Amino acid sequence: MAFSNDKPIYMQMADMLCDDIIAGKYAADDRIPSVREYAVMLEVNTNTAVKTYDTLARDGIIYNKRGLGYFVSPKARRQILSARKREFMKQTLPSLFRQMSLLGITIDEVVDNWNGQDK
């Protein structure tokens, strides 16, 4: 697996697992791969996967059933979407609007382009 240098690997792994939850690969109360399985799958050290799972458990995204493994928390999908929307509004959107302003791009142009009606 190729990781970027802009964020710690364990956080990128957490983001990937959250992406899978949002996409519906794992539903509420579904078992997710074990720490070792996830480490092998992504070709990382097991300690990195442990850190990923600890972070997600601390954030309430996953929970541990002793002896059975880790499972998706009932409200994980909603929680992830809410956090990502907040992050998008605070970080991505201001940068996007700044670029649009510099380039003289209007909202109408964006909507037209999005709808495939670029003129």
Side-chain angles (χ1 to χ4, degrees):
M1 178 74 203
F3 294 99
S4 67
N5 291 325
D6 64 336
K7 195 181 224 184
I9 291 174
Y10 80 95
M11 292 298 296
Q12 293 177 61
M13 292 171 60
D15 287 345
M16 283 187 266
L17 197 50
C18 287
D19 288 347
D20 288 342
I21 292 168
I22 291 172
K25 182 174 180 180
Y26 303 112
D29 296 314
D30 278 356
R31 184 182 176 282
I32 60 173
S34 72
V35 170
R36 282 191 177 87
E37 290 169 339
Y38 204 52
V40 168
M41 188 184 330
L42 297 179
E43 300 174 353
V44 299
N45 186 296
T46 303
N47 292 331
T48 305
V50 167
K51 194 169 183 178
T52 299
Y53 279 45
D54 286 347
T55 300
L56 291 172
R58 187 185 63 243
D59 292 345
I61 303 298
I62 61 174
Y63 63 94
N64 188 7
K65 284 187 182 178
R66 192 173 185 167
L68 296 176
Y70 284 92
F71 295 79
V72 176
S73 297
K75 296 180 181 178
R77 188 173 190 281
R78 188 173 353 141
Q79 186 178 338
I80 295 164
L81 286 172
S82 177
R84 288 197 175 175
K85 284 179 183 179
R86 276 192 312 274
E87 182 180 342
F88 179 82
M89 293 296 191
K90 282 185 172 181
Q91 295 178 2
T92 305
L93 211 50
S95 175
L96 176 68
F97 284 148
R98 190 170 31 262
Q99 286 296 312
M100 287 173 59
S101 177
L102 288 170
L103 298 172
I105 299 171
T106 67
I107 293 287
D108 290 337
E109 287 176 291
V110 172
V111 170
D112 288 346
N113 192 285
W114 179 260
N115 291 328
Q117 301 171 4
D118 191 22
K119 298 173 185 171

